[in-house]
Amino acid sequence: MSTVRIAASAVALLLGLQGLDVHAAYVQGTRRSEVLIGADDDNQNDPEIQPAPGANQSLDNADTLVGDRGDDVLIGMLGSDVLLGGPGADVLIGGIERGQLPNSDIQLGDDGNDIAIWQGGDGSDLFDGGGGGRDALVFGTIDRDADNVPILSPVTGVHAKTGLPTANVSGQGGFCRLERVVDPAGRGFGFLVRFFVRATGNLAVTIRTRDVEQVFCTSETGGAITFANLTAPTPAFGEVDLTAVQSLNPEVAKIVR
């Protein structure tokens, strides 16, 4: 299978899966392993949504993507999206197109070994990995095609039917730091993962995590991948090479560089 390049306008035909239930602002998967992409059509250009000039009646391209069963890849694209992977090993990408404002996405993995990818330029998100699996948060700039849609490359194993995105983790212009939440029960999440711009030291975004076991990010000096085990008594980032990533999480190893 050659590298899969998927146009957002062809969401109902992804990889030949014509049975998807696709409506404005809502994409429902099936029990198969699928690629779901936000339709980005709930906006003021839709006359049914916005019948006349006036106050904004749209969701500003926000979508809800529901993976159902299967090992799915969910791509939010524009808007502040809600992604629900459902049972299975799912890959969640909130998404942003070049030149657009950052969006704040809610990503829920559910059961299975899930991976959420924050791509460079996106906003502050929440990732709930769900119980019963080893869930990973990856900070990396995703490779995209001319239409700004993440490129899915062929892989073997769990995601053979969908392919996986690839992301530059070691070469990002920033780095991550961890903060344990003082009152996780009250807040509803356990850690804050903060991404800082290397050139300025300024805080760029914060990702809230719940039931997430692993975080992969860029080293503070750049040029390397760092890893934090959130199940450790005192988790902290340390540099790892690709061989170590393969041992820590084989599916993440297919994504990062």
Side-chain angles (χ1 to χ4, degrees):
M1 179 175 68
S2 61
T3 298
V4 181
R5 298 175 184 267
I6 304 171
S9 61
V11 65
L13 302 176
L14 296 175
L15 301 182
L17 301 173
Q18 291 90 347
L20 297 182
D21 185 12
V22 180
H23 302 283
Y26 190 91
V27 180
Q28 171 72 58
T30 69
R31 293 177 177 271
R32 294 173 291 177
S33 297
E34 299 164 317
V35 180
L36 308 181
I37 297 181
D40 284 347
D41 59 357
D42 192 319
N43 54 53
Q44 295 184 69
N45 295 323
D46 184 338
E48 186 175 9
I49 298 295
Q50 186 76 30
N56 183 4
Q57 303 299 306
S58 81
L59 296 179
D60 291 325
N61 299 307
D63 293 295
T64 297
L65 279 62
V66 181
D68 207 328
R69 297 188 180 276
D71 305 317
D72 304 306
V73 176
L74 281 61
I75 303 172
M77 298 299 289
L78 297 180
S80 295
D81 303 305
V82 176
L83 282 60
L84 175 59
D90 303 305
V91 178
L92 313 174
I93 306 169
I96 182 174
E97 291 202 26
R98 298 182 182 95
Q100 301 291 333
L101 294 174
N103 303 307
S104 297
D105 304 304
I106 306 297
Q107 303 176 73
L108 309 173
D110 207 337
D111 293 337
N113 299 325
D114 304 307
I115 301 170
I117 306 176
W118 177 91
Q119 60 178 344
D122 206 352
S124 295
D125 298 344
L126 181 146
F127 175 39
D128 184 339
R134 178 189 57 199
D135 303 307
L137 171 61
V138 176
F139 285 74
T141 302
I142 296 173
D143 298 310
R144 294 174 285 180
D145 64 17
D147 296 317
N148 297 321
V149 180
I151 298 169
L152 302 183
S153 297
V155 294
T156 58
V158 175
H159 293 97
K161 293 184 179 180
T162 61
L164 283 174
T166 50
N168 184 353
V169 175
S170 61
Q172 287 195 113
F175 57 92
C176 292
R177 289 178 178 163
L178 280 174
E179 292 182 22
R180 189 186 295 272
V181 174
V182 176
D183 180 16
R187 286 287 189 179
F189 43 85
F191 285 91
L192 301 175
V193 188
R194 301 193 190 275
F195 186 81
F196 292 83
V197 178
R198 183 176 301 108
T200 63
N202 292 338
L203 174 62
V205 298
T206 297
I207 309 300
R208 298 143 181 82
T209 69
R210 175 184 172 89
D211 288 333
V212 175
E213 288 74 38
Q214 301 180 329
V215 182
F216 296 85
C217 195
T218 312
S219 62
E220 191 160 345
T221 57
I225 297 171
T226 57
F227 168 75
N229 177 8
L230 299 190
T231 68
T234 307
F237 283 103
E239 289 192 14
V240 291
D241 59 19
L242 291 177
T243 300
V245 175
Q246 172 67 35
S247 177
L248 291 165
N249 193 316
E251 294 306 298
V252 168
K254 299 172 185 177
I255 295 171
V256 306
R257 65 178 186 278

